[in-house]
């Protein structure tokens, strides 16, 4: 069945199933064991005008489309990406799939990261994200080794060009000792000018606390949030997440704090992991997990089947009151050789990898409402009267249907109107990523 959205205004989405967690009102009662609610939704002037139990409203002859119990979700929010690295695999493949080789390969490829190259690869990623139904993206941008000026200039141009389609946030990515230098302070000023987020890579060492206290001070002075890559390894001695939480409790800031990966948490002694989770919850830190990339990299050894899945303790973190998000991370680059900037794929694989089902509960928040709140975008990732009708319509009726197929026939509405969901042709990248 091909869904045909009426051209008129207003119109109705009839017999739509919405996961209960997306509906703020308590009066809604799920009709299925999967906590799905059957509703009719009126779209008027680009907003959600009414939500009513299916079949109970007087649509007064207004046109509508019968979704036949297909699911309706809010548009996605991608909290952790690397648009500057994206889609270089053809010219810079990872020779053995390891984390060490990924680092070395990206460092070698960075010589090609000139404005045109960055611009076209980042645009390709944005086109994919937009077509799949994403409406906000946070991207980490490598800013060391002279990359900051070019990367941030290109980002700012794209931020302006895509403002009517995507909300874009930038996070600088440097080793934390960079912020102990004048160049680090200058970078913090530039990030503040972009309305971005301070970020970096904390590493275990004697200067870790001093580095963290410095970047917290820079963020506090500029009213910025923080976003760190932490403990992306299977070494139980990597505990920078705990250090971030400790500093956050000593020196709180106004902005949100997010930590990505936290893989080593899953291989630490249970008592230590539980203590860290408690500190993270007390500090109000959000965790973003990147299961696809971590599944690709972690526990990889030549000729040996991996023994663990590489992801952090998602269920335990969430049970401890920690906001938990899922995101795309790298896409078709040496850190992850696959991906298409599709958060439904991320959610599907994450459910399978981390057993986020039975029940699904409010795990759909992990690619919608939770990342939106961590990005300071509280009206995104919800379905509520008065909000913009930025919705994704699926023909799948149940989670077993939704997560079993790619849902390539999804309809994406932005302000109530369907967008073109045609994905960009890989050939668009040929002038930039063909082997050199």
């Amino acid at each position: 069945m091909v869904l045909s959205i009426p051209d008129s205004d207003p119109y109705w989405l009839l017999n739509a199933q919405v996961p209960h967690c997306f509906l703020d009102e308590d009066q809604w009662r799920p009709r299925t064991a999967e906590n799905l609610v059957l509703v009719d939704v009126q779209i008027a002037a680009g907003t959600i005008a009414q939500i009513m139990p299916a079949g109970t409203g007087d649509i007064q002859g207004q046109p509508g489309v019968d979704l036949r119990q297909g699911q309706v979700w809010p548009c996605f929010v991608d909290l952790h990406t690397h648009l500057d690295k994206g889609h270089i695999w053809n010219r810079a493949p990872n020779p053995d799939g390891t984390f060490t080789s990924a680092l070395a390969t990206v460092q070698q490829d960075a010589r090609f990261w000139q404005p045109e190259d960055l611009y076209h690869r980042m645009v390709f990623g944005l086109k994919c994200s937009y077509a799949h139904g994403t409406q906000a993206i946070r991207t980490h941008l490598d800013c060391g080794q002279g990359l900051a000026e070019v990367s941030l200039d290109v980002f700012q141009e794209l931020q302006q060009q895509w403002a009517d389609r995507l909300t874009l946030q930038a996070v600088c990515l440097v080793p934390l000792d960079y912020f102990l230098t004048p160049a680090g302070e200058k970078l913090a000023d530039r990030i503040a000018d972009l309305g971005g987020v301070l970020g970096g890579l904390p590493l275990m060492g004697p200067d870790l606390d001093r580095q963290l206290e410095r970047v917290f001070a820079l963020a506090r002075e500029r009213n910025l949030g923080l976003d760190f890559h932490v403990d992306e390894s299977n070494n139980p001695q990597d505990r920078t997440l705990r250090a971030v939480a400790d500093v956050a409790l000593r020196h709180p800031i106004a902005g949100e704090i997010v930590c990505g990966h936290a893989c080593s948490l899953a291989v630490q002694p249970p008592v230590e992991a539980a203590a860290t989770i408690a500190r993270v919850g007390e500090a109000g830190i959000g965790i973003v997990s990147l299961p696809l990339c971590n599944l690709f990299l972690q526990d990889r050894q030549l000729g040996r089947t991996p023994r663990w899945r590489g992801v952090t303790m998602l269920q335990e973190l969430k049970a401890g009151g920690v906001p938990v998000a899922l995101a795309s991370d790298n896409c078709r680059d040496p850190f992850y050789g696959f991906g298409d900037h599709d958060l439904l794929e991320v959610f599907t694989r994450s459910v399978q990898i981390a057993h986020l089902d039975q029940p699904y509960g409010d795990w759909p928040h992990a690619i919608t409402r939770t990342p939106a709140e961590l990005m300071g975008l509280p009206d995104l990732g919800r379905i509520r009267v008065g909000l913009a009708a930025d919705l994704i319509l699926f023909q799948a009726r149940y989670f077993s249907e939704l997560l079993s197929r790619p849902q390539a026939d999804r309809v994406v509405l932005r302000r109530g109107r369907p967008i073109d969901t045609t994905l960009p042709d890989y050939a668009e990248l040929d002038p930039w990523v063909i082997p050199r």
Side-chain angles (χ1 to χ4, degrees):
M1 179 183 72
V2 177
L3 294 177
S4 180
I5 304 301
D7 291 330
S8 57
D9 186 277
Y11 69 90
W12 288 82
L13 302 174
L14 303 170
N15 297 311
Q17 288 203 113
V18 178
H20 184 263
C21 62
F22 292 135
L23 298 168
D24 290 338
E25 295 84 357
D26 292 334
Q27 73 265 25
W28 298 108
R29 293 291 178 265
R31 63 179 294 274
T32 73
E34 294 182 336
N35 284 327
L36 300 173
V37 181
L38 190 64
V39 297
D40 295 337
V41 180
Q42 186 190 43
I43 309 297
T47 65
I48 299 171
Q50 296 185 69
I51 305 174
M52 308 184 69
T56 65
D58 180 7
I59 68 172
Q60 300 176 347
Q62 296 172 7
V65 54
D66 188 351
L67 300 188
R68 302 198 303 183
Q69 300 182 17
Q71 288 195 40
V72 175
W73 284 42
C75 283
F76 304 136
V77 177
D78 208 344
L79 181 59
H80 184 124
T81 68
H82 289 268
L83 295 175
D84 58 345
K85 295 183 178 74
H87 305 285
I88 61 174
W89 183 271
N90 286 0
R91 77 181 186 210
N94 187 323
D96 58 14
T98 64
F99 192 95
T100 300
S101 292
L103 285 171
T105 303
V106 165
Q107 288 173 357
Q108 293 172 3
D109 189 74
R111 69 187 188 275
F112 298 121
W113 295 12
Q114 298 304 311
E116 279 192 301
D117 174 75
L118 280 169
Y119 179 88
H120 286 91
R121 288 189 294 101
M122 291 173 73
V123 163
F124 189 89
L126 296 179
K127 287 180 177 179
C128 295
S129 295
Y130 182 69
H132 284 307
T134 291
Q135 66 179 139
I137 300 171
R138 175 180 287 185
T139 181
H140 295 257
L141 299 171
D142 283 22
C143 287
Q145 299 178 324
L147 292 171
E149 185 173 349
V150 174
S151 295
L152 295 177
D153 283 350
V154 171
F155 171 83
Q156 187 170 26
E157 182 178 0
L158 292 173
Q159 188 181 43
Q160 295 168 355
Q161 291 177 356
W162 283 75
D164 61 336
R165 290 162 286 177
L166 291 167
T167 298
L168 301 180
Q169 288 184 357
V171 185
C172 56
L173 179 56
V174 292
L176 281 200
D177 59 3
Y178 191 82
F179 290 109
L180 300 177
T181 69
E185 185 165 355
K186 182 179 178 181
L187 177 60
D189 289 336
R190 181 70 197 280
I191 292 296
D193 290 341
L194 287 173
V197 176
L198 281 186
L201 176 64
L203 297 172
M204 297 299 294
D207 285 340
L208 177 58
D209 277 353
R210 185 165 72 98
Q211 294 165 4
L212 284 170
E213 288 180 357
R214 177 56 177 160
V215 73
F216 268 74
L218 291 170
R220 190 180 310 107
E221 292 163 1
R222 292 157 181 79
N223 198 30
L224 299 176
L226 291 166
D227 193 328
F228 300 111
H229 284 62
V230 300
D231 304 333
E232 193 176 358
S233 79
N234 62 352
N235 181 357
Q237 301 306 313
D238 285 343
R239 300 172 184 173
T240 63
L241 175 60
R242 177 65 175 267
V244 171
D246 288 343
V247 174
L249 288 168
R250 292 198 307 267
H251 305 291
I253 63 171
E256 297 286 350
I257 305 172
V258 176
C259 288
H261 297 290
C263 303
S264 70
L265 188 68
V267 293
Q268 293 170 6
V271 172
E272 293 184 15
T276 295
I277 290 171
R279 294 291 278 176
V280 169
E282 185 182 358
I285 295 170
I287 297 293
V288 56
S289 181
L290 302 313
L292 278 64
C293 184
N294 290 144
L295 191 72
F296 180 81
L297 288 173
Q298 296 301 310
D299 203 23
R300 183 185 280 266
Q301 298 180 42
L302 184 63
R304 173 184 176 274
T305 303
R307 302 295 196 266
W308 77 302
R309 303 183 183 200
V311 299
T312 192
M313 297 172 66
L314 290 171
Q315 297 192 43
E316 292 81 356
L317 284 159
K318 190 167 183 294
V322 176
V324 176
L326 302 164
S328 296
D329 203 14
N330 300 73
C331 190
R332 298 181 65 242
D333 68 28
F335 286 92
Y336 181 58
F338 312 104
D340 199 36
H341 306 273
D342 182 5
L343 278 174
L344 180 64
E345 179 195 12
V346 171
F347 183 74
T348 298
R349 297 277 299 279
S350 299
V351 166
Q352 297 164 357
I353 293 165
H355 295 168
L356 307 182
D357 56 352
Q358 306 305 105
Y360 293 96
D362 62 358
W363 279 110
H365 282 175
I367 57 170
T368 53
R369 181 171 174 172
T370 299
E373 290 174 346
L374 291 171
M375 288 178 65
L377 304 170
D379 286 341
L380 273 56
R382 301 169 183 261
I383 296 177
R384 181 200 292 165
V385 171
L387 295 182
D390 295 332
L391 304 169
I392 308 175
L393 317 182
F394 301 105
Q395 295 190 41
R397 299 163 298 174
Y398 308 106
F399 278 101
S400 61
E401 297 175 358
L402 181 73
L403 306 183
S404 295
R405 290 180 178 172
Q407 305 301 323
D409 57 356
R410 74 192 74 174
V411 174
V412 178
L413 303 181
R414 299 302 301 272
R415 297 203 63 82
R417 304 314 313 166
I419 68 167
D420 182 359
T421 56
T422 304
L423 293 166
D425 191 325
Y426 285 124
E428 293 181 18
L429 292 168
D430 285 352
W432 315 106
V433 299
I434 56 174
R436 305 183 185 185

